[in-house]
Amino acid sequence: MSDLGTAFADAVTSGPLLLGMLAALAAGLVSFASPCVIPLVPGYVSYLAGVVGAEAEYTAEGTVVTKRRGRAGGAALLFVAGFTVVFCLATATVFGAIRAIQLNQELLMRVGGVVTILMGVIFMGFIRPLQTDTRMAPRRWSTLAGAPLLLSLLNIRCGLETAA
Protein backbone atom coordinates (compact mmCIF):
# COMPACT_ATOMS: atom_id res chain seq x y z
CA MET A 1 0.00 0.00 0.00
CA SER A 2 2.88 2.38 0.71
CA ASP A 3 4.19 1.69 -2.79
CA LEU A 4 0.91 3.00 -4.21
CA GLY A 5 1.23 6.21 -2.20
CA THR A 6 4.83 6.69 -3.28
CA ALA A 7 3.94 6.06 -6.91
CA PHE A 8 1.08 8.58 -6.74
CA ALA A 9 3.31 11.20 -5.07
CA ASP A 10 5.98 10.71 -7.73
CA ALA A 11 3.40 10.95 -10.53
CA VAL A 12 1.94 14.16 -9.12
CA THR A 13 5.24 15.91 -8.45
CA SER A 14 7.13 14.92 -11.58
CA GLY A 15 4.29 13.96 -13.94
CA PRO A 16 1.98 16.04 -16.09
CA LEU A 17 0.69 19.35 -14.76
CA LEU A 18 -2.94 18.35 -15.28
CA LEU A 19 -2.52 15.39 -12.91
CA GLY A 20 -1.06 17.69 -10.24
CA MET A 21 -3.91 20.14 -10.68
CA LEU A 22 -6.49 17.37 -10.34
CA ALA A 23 -4.79 16.11 -7.19
CA ALA A 24 -4.80 19.64 -5.76
CA LEU A 25 -8.49 20.02 -6.64
CA ALA A 26 -9.33 16.72 -4.93
CA ALA A 27 -7.37 17.74 -1.83
CA GLY A 28 -9.18 21.08 -1.75
CA LEU A 29 -12.58 19.42 -1.97
CA VAL A 30 -11.70 17.01 0.82
CA SER A 31 -10.43 19.83 3.03
CA PHE A 32 -13.56 21.90 2.27
CA ALA A 33 -15.75 19.05 3.53
CA SER A 34 -13.82 18.83 6.80
CA PRO A 35 -15.61 19.60 10.08
CA CYS A 36 -13.36 22.64 10.57
CA VAL A 37 -14.48 24.40 7.39
CA ILE A 38 -18.16 23.50 6.96
CA PRO A 39 -19.35 25.67 9.91
CA LEU A 40 -17.66 28.71 8.34
CA VAL A 41 -19.57 28.44 5.05
CA PRO A 42 -22.93 29.94 6.17
CA GLY A 43 -21.21 32.98 7.66
CA TYR A 44 -19.12 33.43 4.55
CA VAL A 45 -22.09 33.13 2.21
CA SER A 46 -24.22 35.50 4.26
CA TYR A 47 -21.34 37.99 4.45
CA LEU A 48 -20.92 37.94 0.68
CA ALA A 49 -24.67 38.14 0.11
CA GLY A 50 -24.81 41.33 2.14
CA VAL A 51 -21.94 42.91 0.22
CA VAL A 52 -22.41 41.65 -3.31
CA GLY A 53 -25.24 42.58 -5.59
CA ALA A 54 -26.42 45.11 -8.06
CA GLU A 55 -27.78 48.52 -7.29
CA ALA A 56 -30.72 49.75 -9.30
CA GLU A 57 -31.48 53.40 -9.83
CA TYR A 58 -34.79 54.48 -11.24
CA THR A 59 -34.47 57.48 -13.53
CA ALA A 60 -36.68 59.12 -16.12
CA GLU A 61 -34.90 57.22 -18.91
CA GLY A 62 -35.51 53.87 -17.22
CA THR A 63 -33.83 51.59 -14.75
CA VAL A 64 -30.05 51.78 -14.53
CA VAL A 65 -28.37 48.78 -12.93
CA THR A 66 -24.87 49.24 -11.54
CA LYS A 67 -22.92 46.02 -11.03
CA ARG A 68 -20.13 45.99 -8.49
CA ARG A 69 -17.97 42.98 -9.23
CA GLY A 70 -14.91 44.24 -7.42
CA ARG A 71 -16.77 44.31 -4.11
CA ALA A 72 -17.14 40.51 -4.09
CA GLY A 73 -13.41 39.94 -4.46
CA GLY A 74 -12.58 42.58 -1.88
CA ALA A 75 -15.12 41.18 0.56
CA ALA A 76 -13.77 37.66 0.10
CA LEU A 77 -10.20 38.85 0.69
CA LEU A 78 -11.20 40.76 3.83
CA PHE A 79 -13.11 37.74 5.13
CA VAL A 80 -10.13 35.45 4.63
CA ALA A 81 -7.76 38.05 6.07
CA GLY A 82 -9.92 38.33 9.19
CA PHE A 83 -9.83 34.60 9.81
CA THR A 84 -6.10 34.52 9.09
CA VAL A 85 -5.39 37.21 11.67
CA VAL A 86 -7.57 35.52 14.31
CA PHE A 87 -6.01 32.10 13.81
CA CYS A 88 -2.46 33.49 13.72
CA LEU A 89 -3.05 35.35 16.99
CA ALA A 90 -4.60 32.25 18.57
CA THR A 91 -1.64 30.14 17.48
CA ALA A 92 0.83 32.69 18.85
CA THR A 93 -1.07 32.73 22.16
CA VAL A 94 -0.97 28.95 22.45
CA PHE A 95 2.75 28.85 21.63
CA GLY A 96 3.38 31.58 24.21
CA ALA A 97 1.50 29.60 26.85
CA ILE A 98 3.44 26.45 25.96
CA ARG A 99 6.70 28.35 26.26
CA ALA A 100 5.70 29.76 29.66
CA ILE A 101 4.80 26.26 30.87
CA GLN A 102 8.09 24.87 29.59
CA LEU A 103 10.06 27.60 31.38
CA ASN A 104 8.30 26.84 34.66
CA GLN A 105 8.13 23.07 34.20
CA GLU A 106 10.17 22.26 37.31
CA LEU A 107 8.09 24.53 39.55
CA LEU A 108 4.79 23.25 38.12
CA MET A 109 5.85 19.62 38.67
CA ARG A 110 6.69 20.34 42.30
CA VAL A 111 3.44 22.26 42.92
CA GLY A 112 1.46 19.46 41.26
CA GLY A 113 3.22 16.88 43.43
CA VAL A 114 2.45 18.82 46.62
CA VAL A 115 -1.21 19.23 45.61
CA THR A 116 -1.48 15.49 44.82
CA ILE A 117 0.06 14.50 48.17
CA LEU A 118 -2.15 17.00 50.03
CA MET A 119 -5.29 15.66 48.34
CA GLY A 120 -4.26 12.10 49.27
CA VAL A 121 -3.75 13.08 52.91
CA ILE A 122 -7.15 14.81 52.97
CA PHE A 123 -8.79 11.79 51.31
CA MET A 124 -7.30 9.42 53.91
CA GLY A 125 -8.86 11.56 56.68
CA PHE A 126 -5.79 12.94 58.44
CA ILE A 127 -7.05 16.55 58.29
CA ARG A 128 -10.34 16.51 60.27
CA PRO A 129 -11.73 20.00 59.40
CA LEU A 130 -11.74 19.07 55.71
CA GLN A 131 -13.74 15.87 56.36
CA THR A 132 -17.05 17.58 57.14
CA ASP A 133 -20.01 16.85 54.89
CA THR A 134 -22.01 19.97 54.20
CA ARG A 135 -25.08 19.88 52.02
CA MET A 136 -27.47 22.61 51.16
CA ALA A 137 -30.96 21.72 52.33
CA PRO A 138 -34.02 23.97 52.11
CA ARG A 139 -35.36 25.29 55.36
CA ARG A 140 -38.83 24.15 56.22
CA TRP A 141 -40.23 27.63 56.86
CA SER A 142 -39.08 28.90 53.46
CA THR A 143 -40.95 26.13 51.65
CA LEU A 144 -44.07 26.70 53.73
CA ALA A 145 -43.97 30.45 53.16
CA GLY A 146 -43.09 30.09 49.50
CA ALA A 147 -46.11 27.97 48.55
CA PRO A 148 -48.79 30.65 49.19
CA LEU A 149 -46.60 33.28 47.56
CA LEU A 150 -46.20 31.15 44.43
CA LEU A 151 -49.93 30.39 44.38
CA SER A 152 -50.82 34.08 44.61
CA LEU A 153 -48.44 34.92 41.75
CA LEU A 154 -49.95 32.19 39.59
CA ASN A 155 -53.46 33.48 40.34
CA ILE A 156 -52.47 37.01 39.34
CA ARG A 157 -50.89 35.73 36.13
CA CYS A 158 -53.94 33.64 35.21
CA GLY A 159 -56.22 36.59 35.97
CA LEU A 160 -54.21 38.81 33.63
CA GLU A 161 -54.41 36.26 30.80
CA THR A 162 -58.20 35.83 31.09
CA ALA A 163 -58.74 39.59 31.22
CA ALA A 164 -56.79 40.16 28.02
Side-chain angles (χ1 to χ4, degrees):
M1 188 70 172
S2 65
D3 294 336
L4 179 66
T6 306
F8 180 73
D10 289 339
V12 168
T13 55
S14 62
L17 181 62
L18 182 61
L19 183 62
M21 290 173 62
L22 288 175
L25 178 69
L29 289 175
V30 168
S31 69
F32 180 78
S34 70
C36 300
V37 175
I38 289 293
L40 301 176
V41 173
Y44 178 67
V45 170
S46 64
Y47 176 70
L48 284 182
V51 172
V52 179
E55 294 182 8
E57 293 181 22
Y58 301 103
T59 61
E61 296 88 28
T63 304
V64 177
V65 178
T66 308
K67 294 182 181 177
R68 299 182 183 241
R69 294 184 184 166
R71 290 181 73 184
L77 286 175
L78 287 175
F79 188 84
V80 170
F83 272 102
T84 302
V85 167
V86 167
F87 282 111
C88 285
L89 290 176
T91 303
T93 303
V94 168
F95 283 146
I98 289 171
R99 183 69 180 143
I101 289 171
Q102 284 176 342
L103 288 175
N104 299 315
Q105 183 175 6
E106 185 78 23
L107 175 67
L108 290 174
M109 279 193 330
R110 295 203 186 275
V111 169
V114 168
V115 168
T116 303
I117 292 170
L118 185 64
M119 295 300 278
V121 168
I122 291 169
F123 185 71
M124 288 190 298
F126 290 122
I127 302 176
R128 285 279 179 223
L130 297 177
Q131 295 297 316
T132 58
D133 185 18
T134 44
R135 297 180 187 204
M136 297 295 291
R139 293 192 170 102
R140 181 119 176 106
W141 64 267
S142 65
T143 56
L144 291 176
L149 180 63
L150 180 62
L151 185 61
S152 63
L153 288 174
L154 289 173
N155 282 332
I156 292 171
R157 177 70 179 155
C158 289
L160 291 176
E161 285 183 3
T162 56

